[in-house]
Amino acid sequence: MKEMTYKEMGLLDEEYEQIKEILGRQPNYLELGMFSVMWSEHCGYKNSRPLLKNFPTEGPQVIQGPGENAGVVDIGDGQALVFKIESHNHPSAIEPYQGAATGVGGIVRDIFTMGARPIASLNSLRFGNLDDERVKQLFSGVVAGIGDYGNCLGIPTVGGEVYFNPAYQGNPLVNAMCVGLVNKEEIAYATASEIGSPLMLVGARTGRDGIHGATFASEELSEASQEKRPSVQVGDPFMEKLLIEACLELIKEDLVAGMQDLGAAGLTSSIAESASKKGRGVIVDVSRVPRRETGMIPYEVMLSESQERMLIVPREGKEGRIGEIFDKWGLDATVIGEVTDDGMFKVFEGSVLVGAVPVEALTEGCPVYVRKGLEPPYYRECHDFNIDNLAECDAGEALSKLLASPNIASKKWVYNQYDHQVMTNSAIVPGDADAAVLRIKGYQKGVALATDCNGRMVYLDPYQGGMMAVCEGARNLACVGAKPLALTNCLNFGSPENPHIYWQMQEAIKGMSEAAKVLGTPVVSGNVSLYNETVDGAIFPTPVVGMVGLLEDIDKRCQMAFQDEGDLIILLGRAREELGGSEYLFVCHGVEKGSVPEIDLEEEKNLINLLLSLTEADLVKSCHDISEGGLAAALAESSIKGSTGFNVDLDFKGSRKDRFLFSEAPSRVVASLDEKDLTAVRNLSAQFGIEISILGKVGGNKMIFNDHGIEFINLEVQDAAKIWGEAIECHMK
Amino acid sequence: MKFGIIVFPGSNCDADCYHVIKEVMNQPVEYIWHKENTVAGFDALILPGGFSYGDYLRTGAIARFSPIMPAVIDFAEQGGLVIGICNGFQILLEAGLLPGAMLRNRSLKFICKPVFLKVNRADTPFTNHMKVDQVVRIPVAHGEGNYFCDQNTLQSLKDNGQIIFTYCSEDGQELPEFNPNGSLANIAGICNIKGNVLGMMPHPERCSEEILGGRDGFYIFDSMINWLEEVGK
C-alpha cells in the first residue's frame, strides 16, 4: 500500500502543526489517519459548527436535541419518535447502488442505536438532467440501492422527494432519513461507559472498504474521484436486519450501558465517542478485530468503514446474556478493548502499542473555522431579473409541459420500487398527500413525515429559500392534519472555503432558524455535507428539511385527491403573482432567475394553525399545498389523484395569467369541501386571518379553467393523468 | 384454534401477520423460531414475507433447510393449513410443498403496488368466504414473483384447480398487461392438490383493515378460521 501524505488525507499545513503540538512529536501513520478522519468536515463539522449554533434546538416536545446519534421528540403516551437525516452524496456519485444502499444502512443504525424500532424511511434525492444517460444510470442505481436495502430490512420507505436540475449533473444528492419509535424509558444514549467496561464489536467483519470515506466526503468531486471507489462501502442488509433485532433485544432487557454504530471514520470515531465522557480513555487491540481480509495494518483496521458493525459497552456482568442473544441471531461478538481512566486513546496490535492520542484532541479538539461569507454577484443579477420581458406562454400548453416535468410528474416509478407498506402502518402511502402518515398501533394517534427543499429557490435567495424549506415541510404536515413537532436537516452545499458558498450557508441557516423559531419546530438532529462540487461548479445550495408531526386522531387525516362531484374548491392564502424561481420559468422559458417570493412567517404560522383546525373539525375533504407548478399544478394533481375533473373561474385582476397560475409563492393551499361547510370554513379562516377565495367546483372529467367565464384551459383528466403519471417512466425506458 | 408464524432470520412480515391474526381476527397466535423442530399444538401455520437469509443464493433456498421445515412439511402432509405469503410462498416452492419456481420480475425491479386478483375457487380453506370470479385488491411487494413451471406442471395445476389467484384488471380480465411480474398464466397464488397448502405473492395481511386502504385480505384469514371451525365441529 502506498502511504498517503497528510495533505492527501485532507489535512492542512496548520492542522498538521497543531497535531504535532498536541502529541509533542510527529504523529505516526496510524495517528495521522485517525486525526485526519476525525478532523474531516464530515466528522468534525469544522466549517459548519459556528453556523449550526444558530438553530433553535429546544422546546417542550424535545427529549433530545443535536449531539446524540439522532434527535428525539415526545409524542405522548410515554412514546417518542427518534429521527435523523444524513447524506451519502459522494459515495453515490461514483457507485450509486452501494452508495445509496449504505446511506440507508447508516441512518437506520443511528436510529436503533438509540433503542428505537425503525418504522419508516424517507429520502431526498437530486440528480442532473434526466435526458443524460449517466444521470439515468445514477438515478436508477440510487433508487434500486435504497429500495433493495430498505426492503430487505422490512422498513417501509414512505416518502421523500426527487428533483432534477443541471446543477446536480456530476454531483447527485442522496439524503436518507429514518424515523424510529421508542418507549421513552427505553431510549439508549451513547456515552455511558464506566472505567473497566469492555468494548464489544459485533456484526460484520472488518475489511478494507471505506477507508477514508469521511475524508473523501469532505472534498470536491473530480475525475480522480472514480479512483476513490474503494472508499465506497458495500452493504449487507441481511446482516443489518440481524443487528437490528439483536440490538433491540439487548435494549429491551437493559443489558447495555452504551451502544455506538460504526459509521464514518469507523472504529476510530465510535470508540472515541464511547470514551468521550470527561477524562475517560480507551485501549483497543486491533489484533482482536475479526477481519474479512488478511494482512490489514492497524491503520486500515482503525479507519475501515465496513458496514453493519456495532460497538457495545455491556452493563457489568451482562456479557454472558449478550453473547446468548447474539448467538441466537447468528452474530459474533468480540471484546476488542476497554474503557480506561487516563484520557488516552491507545491502539495496540497484540502487546505492541502502535498509536496513542488524547481522546479529547480527536473530538473536542477538532479545529473550528469561522469564515467570512461574501454575497455572490449572481444574487443581485437574478434578483433584479424582470419577468415582464418574457412572453406569456399558452396556459394550457404550459400546464401540460409542467405536468410532464420530472420535477412535478408522479414519482411512482420511484416509490413503486420501495416497499412502502411493510409493518402495516402506512395510512397514507406515497403520492396520495403532501406527507406520509403512519398509524401507531394500539392508539388513535398517527405521525406524519415529509422532506422538503427547493434548491433553486435557495440558490436564488438562500435566506428566503431556507425559510421556504422549513415552511413547506410544516405546511405539508398540516395539510394531512398533523401538527409539526420538530425537524432534522441535511445541509448540502459546495465548498465552504469559497466565500460565496459560505454566504449561501450563512443565509440559508439564518432563514431556516428564523422559520423554525416562529413555527415552533426546533432542529433536533442533522448532518452537513459540504464540498458538493465538480469542475463545473457547486450544486444548488440544498438544505433539506425532514419534518415530523403528530395527528391526535388519525381518522381525520386528509389527502390531496378531490373527493365528490359538486364539492367547492377554495384557495387558502393570498392570490399571488411572483414567478421568481418557478418551475414554469425553467420549463417554459429556460430561465432560473427572478426574485424569490417572500414569506411572512406569521402568515405561514396562521395558515398552518387554520389547516389544523379545519382538519380537526373535519371541514375539508382534500388539501394540497401550492409548490412546484403553482396553483394550476396543485389543482391538476388533486384532480388526477381523485380521478375527477373540476371547473374553476379565476380572477386575474388584469394581470398576466401565467403569473397567477404558476406562481410558487408560499403559504397557500388548495382545498375542497362540502358546500354546506363553507360558512364554518369562512369563519375559521377569518379567525386566523387567512384569505379564502372560492375557485370553483369538483366534477366532470375535464380540467376547465375560466377567466371570468371564458374558458382558456380544457384538459381531459385522463390525458393529464397519462402525461403526469408516465413522464418519468418514459425517460427511463 | 392457534396460529403459528414461522420466523426465519430476515423474515420481516412476521409481526404484520401476527398483528392481523391477534388484533384483527382475534385469534390466538404465536411465533415459531426457525430453530424449533416441532409445530405441535398449532392449527394453522403462516410462512410470512420478508428476505429470509437475505435472499442470498436464491429466495427461500436457505430457509427451506431450517430445522423447523421437516415439522412444517409433516404438518402439511397430514392436512394442516399452511399459507406462505411472498417469501413464504418462495420457501414453500423450495421445500417442494408446492410445484414450480420463482424468477425475477420481468422488469428486473422490485415492485410494490396494489394489484387486482381474480379468485378462481371458493371451496378451499383459504377462499371459502370469497366468491368464484370475485376480483380483490391486494398489494404485492417483491423482486422475484415471476412464477414459472414446465408445461406439464401448468397443465396439472389447471386440471386440478390449483390456481387459486390470478392477476387481472379491475373488472377481472386476466390479460398480460395486468400481470405485475410476468408470471406464467398470470399466476398469483397456487395450492397443493389437497388444497391445504397455499402460496401467494400478494400480501393479504397488508389489506385487512380499512385504515390501510382496503380489507380484501381479511377474507383469506376469515376463510381459514371458518374452515378450521367447521372442521373442528
Side-chain angles (χ1 to χ4, degrees):
Chain A
M1 189 190 70
K2 186 180 155 283
E3 291 210 346
M4 291 162 84
T5 63
Y6 68 84
K7 278 192 181 161
E8 285 167 331
M9 290 186 193
L11 288 168
L12 303 173
D13 290 335
E14 58 264 35
E15 289 170 342
Y16 184 68
E17 289 305 315
Q18 216 175 322
I19 292 167
K20 280 203 299 197
E21 207 170 295
I22 291 166
L23 297 179
R25 58 179 166 83
Q26 299 260 0
N28 66 28
Y29 194 58
L30 166 65
E31 292 162 340
L32 193 58
M34 289 166 70
F35 271 105
S36 75
V37 290
M38 289 302 286
W39 285 13
S40 68
E41 174 58 40
H42 191 83
C43 288
Y45 298 103
K46 57 188 173 187
N47 292 291
S48 50
R49 228 189 300 177
L51 296 176
L52 301 179
K53 277 196 244 153
N54 296 317
F55 285 133
T57 58
E58 288 171 355
Q61 72 278 39
V62 176
I63 295 174
Q64 176 65 54
E68 277 284 339
N69 282 300
V72 186
V73 291
D74 199 327
I75 56 165
D77 307 305
Q79 296 176 315
L81 287 183
V82 178
F83 64 103
K84 188 182 177 185
I85 190 166
E86 202 166 69
S87 63
H88 235 218
N89 303 338
H90 283 57
S92 305
I94 53 169
E95 215 320 71
Y97 180 88
Q98 291 295 347
T102 53
V104 174
I107 194 65
V108 167
R109 281 195 297 283
D110 276 334
I111 301 309
F112 73 77
T113 299
M114 302 283 296
R117 161 74 59 182
I119 58 166
S121 286
L122 294 93
N123 52 70
S124 180
L125 311 178
R126 303 290 182 282
F127 300 95
N129 190 328
L130 198 48
D131 294 325
D132 183 279
E133 284 306 315
R134 174 66 183 155
V135 169
K136 285 182 199 183
Q137 276 174 17
L138 288 171
F139 178 43
S140 63
V142 164
V143 170
I146 291 173
D148 286 356
Y149 203 100
N151 297 347
C152 184
L153 294 183
I155 300 169
T157 303
V158 297
E161 42 167 16
V162 191
Y163 287 100
F164 304 90
N165 190 288
Y168 305 101
Q169 199 75 10
N171 194 134
L173 301 184
V174 177
N175 293 178
M177 174 170 166
C178 185
V179 182
L181 180 68
V182 67
N183 289 327
K184 268 154 73 172
E185 73 268 17
E186 284 171 1
I187 299 170
Y189 295 99
T191 57
S193 42
E194 294 309 314
I195 293 157
S197 296
L199 302 174
M200 290 175 105
L201 181 63
V202 67
R205 288 164 176 264
T206 300
R208 288 196 172 91
D209 50 335
I211 292 171
H212 269 297
T215 312
F216 165 54
S218 305
E219 62 191 26
E220 296 90 341
L221 288 166
S222 64
E223 287 291 316
S225 298
Q226 283 300 333
E227 291 165 19
K228 304 238 164 117
R229 198 172 295 207
S231 293
V232 181
Q233 313 86 337
V234 177
D236 177 358
F238 176 57
M239 176 65 82
E240 178 115 333
K241 171 72 174 161
L242 301 178
L243 279 177
I244 295 176
E245 300 305 330
C247 290
L248 290 178
E249 269 193 53
L250 299 187
I251 287 169
K252 277 273 178 246
E253 292 191 26
D254 195 20
L255 303 173
V256 295
M259 196 147 88
Q260 270 290 340
D261 69 306
L262 276 74
L267 273 172
T268 302
S269 167
S270 61
I271 292 176
E273 290 294 329
S274 67
S276 67
K277 208 190 238 181
K278 196 93 189 139
R280 293 281 190 273
V282 69
I283 54 171
V284 57
D285 179 358
V286 290
S287 69
R288 294 205 208 161
V289 174
R291 325 268 175 93
R292 68 167 73 123
E293 289 174 80
T294 53
M296 288 176 72
I297 58 170
Y299 166 89
E300 292 170 314
V301 175
M302 290 306 293
L303 266 61
S304 163
E305 292 186 9
S306 289
Q307 297 287 291
E308 291 95 18
R309 298 179 299 163
M310 299 289 287
L311 189 73
I312 310 271
V313 185
R315 284 207 189 285
E316 212 184 325
K318 299 294 183 189
E319 292 92 329
R321 177 65 190 136
I322 290 175
E324 281 172 25
I325 290 177
F326 283 134
D327 195 44
K328 172 188 163 190
W329 290 100
L331 294 165
D332 291 324
T334 317
V335 174
I336 60 162
E338 70 176 55
V339 178
T340 61
D341 61 356
D342 63 358
M344 292 297 289
F345 191 142
K346 290 182 183 159
V347 183
F348 288 86
E349 188 175 31
S351 57
V352 184
L353 180 70
V354 290
V357 299
V359 177
E360 258 193 24
L362 291 177
T363 53
E364 299 304 307
C366 177
V368 174
Y369 300 111
V370 180
R371 300 184 184 274
K372 233 177 136 51
L374 185 69
E375 184 184 297
Y378 82 80
Y379 172 67
R380 282 287 146 210
E381 187 215 328
C382 289
H383 188 272
D384 295 339
F385 180 78
N386 189 352
I387 284 151
D388 292 330
N389 296 335
L390 295 175
E392 185 172 352
C393 294
D394 175 78
E397 268 172 42
L399 178 56
S400 295
K401 270 191 191 168
L402 284 167
L403 292 176
S405 160
N407 290 336
I408 292 177
S410 165
K411 304 300 183 293
K412 71 173 185 227
W413 186 89
V414 177
Y415 62 71
N416 281 353
Q417 295 185 56
Y418 300 152
D419 189 336
H420 47 261
Q421 290 176 307
V422 64
M423 296 185 103
T424 59
N425 295 321
S426 307
I428 294 185
V429 293
D432 282 355
D434 291 334
V437 172
L438 304 177
R439 68 166 164 187
I440 306 288
K441 288 192 182 102
Y443 297 89
Q444 190 59 30
K445 68 190 172 189
V447 295
L449 315 166
T451 58
D452 284 289
C453 181
N454 184 326
R456 186 191 296 137
M457 294 288 191
V458 184
Y459 169 76
L460 293 175
D461 189 335
Y463 173 65
Q464 291 291 339
M467 287 206 285
M468 211 178 244
V470 173
C471 288
E472 188 176 351
R475 196 184 320 126
N476 283 342
L477 298 190
C479 278
V480 299
K483 179 180 161 56
L485 289 179
L487 67 91
T488 179
N489 57 39
C490 193
L491 306 174
N492 306 279
F493 289 88
S495 164
E497 293 159 38
N498 175 340
H500 294 157
I501 302 284
Y502 197 76
W503 175 83
Q504 291 175 342
M505 290 170 63
Q506 277 178 313
E507 292 292 303
I509 289 172
K510 188 171 147 216
M512 294 172 87
S513 302
E514 284 179 20
K517 258 177 223 153
V518 173
L519 300 183
T521 52
V523 178
V524 297
S525 59
N527 166 247
V528 180
S529 171
L530 305 181
Y531 301 94
N532 289 291
E533 294 195 11
T534 64
V535 283
D536 298 324
I539 56 158
F540 279 163
T542 312
V544 173
V545 169
M547 187 86 81
V548 305
L550 181 68
L551 291 95
E552 295 290 343
D553 182 356
I554 196 166
D555 292 336
K556 291 184 173 160
R557 67 193 183 279
C558 191
Q559 311 206 5
M560 71 162 80
F562 287 147
Q563 300 291 316
D564 299 304
E565 186 111 13
D567 284 347
L568 283 184
I569 302 169
I570 56 169
L571 168 68
L572 293 169
R574 286 178 284 143
R576 294 178 69 171
E577 304 183 349
E578 305 100 307
L579 276 180
S582 63
E583 187 72 9
Y584 166 74
L585 286 188
F586 179 53
V587 167
C588 297
H589 293 282
V591 168
E592 295 190 275
K593 289 181 178 175
S595 130
V596 169
E598 284 186 13
I599 290 199
D600 175 342
L601 291 175
E602 285 301 323
E603 181 187 20
E604 184 73 53
K605 188 176 155 190
N606 289 334
L607 174 71
I608 286 167
N609 287 332
L610 168 63
L611 291 169
L612 295 179
S613 298
L614 289 172
T615 43
E616 167 63 29
D618 258 333
L619 289 171
V620 283
K621 293 163 90 170
S622 75
C623 226
H624 186 19
D625 96 303
I626 293 179
S627 57
E628 289 79 16
L631 172 68
L635 285 164
E637 285 166 353
S638 289
S639 158
I640 291 167
K641 289 311 277 189
S643 306
T644 174
F646 61 81
N647 191 320
V648 293
D649 202 337
L650 307 172
D651 180 6
F652 295 99
K653 300 190 176 89
S655 143
R656 279 168 61 152
K657 287 194 188 67
D658 58 351
R659 285 177 164 272
F660 187 72
L661 288 172
F662 305 120
S663 165
E664 295 174 15
S667 318
R668 300 170 327 136
V669 163
V670 170
S672 67
L673 54 126
D674 194 312
E675 195 158 4
K676 72 173 169 46
D677 292 324
L678 182 60
T679 315
V681 172
R682 272 196 197 285
N683 289 343
L684 270 177
S685 304
Q687 205 176 309
F688 287 96
I690 295 297
E691 277 184 34
I692 163 171
S693 12
I694 297 171
L695 304 178
K697 281 190 177 177
V698 174
N701 49 21
K702 290 174 173 181
M703 303 181 183
I704 297 171
F705 290 77
N706 300 290
D707 173 5
H708 287 100
I710 299 163
E711 186 180 298
F712 68 93
I713 298 180
N714 183 329
L715 199 57
E716 293 276 349
V717 176
Q718 235 179 338
D719 296 343
K722 203 170 155 59
I723 294 171
W724 179 81
E726 292 172 10
I728 291 184
E729 209 178 316
C730 288
H731 278 281
M732 296 310 289
K733 261 176 191 161
Chain B
M1 186 190 311
K2 191 162 75 175
F3 281 77
I5 296 167
I6 317 277
V7 183
F8 301 94
S11 293
N12 65 30
C13 301
D14 44 342
D16 301 354
C17 291
Y18 186 95
H19 166 80
V20 168
I21 301 299
K22 185 160 191 279
E23 307 295 338
V24 182
M25 312 309 299
N26 293 307
Q27 297 298 325
V29 55
E30 279 176 30
Y31 292 118
I32 304 170
W33 183 238
H34 73 117
K35 284 182 182 166
E36 303 281 326
N37 50 28
T38 170
V39 294
F42 291 96
D43 302 290
L45 298 178
I46 300 177
L47 277 68
F51 289 72
S52 58
Y53 293 95
D55 274 0
Y56 294 143
L57 191 57
R58 196 170 64 238
T59 54
I62 304 177
R64 81 114 164 148
F65 291 107
S66 283
I68 193 66
M69 285 310 289
V72 173
I73 292 169
D74 202 38
F75 180 81
E77 280 171 355
Q78 288 175 31
L81 288 195
V82 179
I83 179 171
I85 300 166
C86 200
N87 188 225
F89 184 11
Q90 294 160 343
I91 296 168
L92 291 177
L93 294 174
E94 289 289 335
L97 282 172
L98 293 172
M102 285 297 172
L103 305 175
R104 287 191 66 190
N105 293 347
R106 186 178 38 190
S107 66
L108 300 180
K109 290 189 168 58
F110 189 92
I111 299 168
C112 175
K113 65 176 187 186
V115 295
F116 293 103
L117 306 178
K118 190 176 218 169
V119 181
N120 297 313
R121 275 178 63 184
D123 59 347
T124 77
F126 308 95
T127 54
N128 57 71
H129 272 189
M130 301 167 116
K131 293 192 185 77
V132 173
D133 288 344
Q134 183 182 349
V135 175
V136 293
R137 187 173 183 265
I138 298 182
V140 292
H142 58 249
E144 293 188 20
N146 183 354
Y147 179 84
F148 186 78
C149 63
D150 61 44
Q151 280 305 318
N152 288 341
T153 309
L154 179 64
Q155 197 53 50
S156 83
L157 285 175
K158 286 180 177 170
D159 293 346
N160 296 314
Q162 287 173 258
I163 303 173
I164 305 298
F165 299 114
T166 37
Y167 298 112
C168 65
S169 65
E170 192 168 1
D171 56 0
Q173 299 180 62
E174 295 157 285
L175 299 172
E177 59 262 43
F178 302 109
N179 179 341
N181 52 34
S183 67
L184 199 65
N186 276 30
I187 286 174
I190 56 171
C191 68
N192 61 350
I193 291 180
K194 281 199 286 185
N196 63 309
V197 177
L198 173 75
M200 64 187 294
M201 287 315 294
H203 287 268
E205 80 280 11
R206 295 187 180 187
C207 61
S208 293
E209 300 162 86
E210 225 24 270
I211 192 170
L212 301 176
R215 58 197 295 275
D216 285 351
F218 173 91
Y219 298 101
I220 291 175
F221 300 111
D222 197 41
S223 297
M224 291 174 75
I225 292 163
N226 180 54
W227 192 85
L228 288 170
E229 279 170 351
E230 292 296 314
V231 167
K233 274 179 205 164

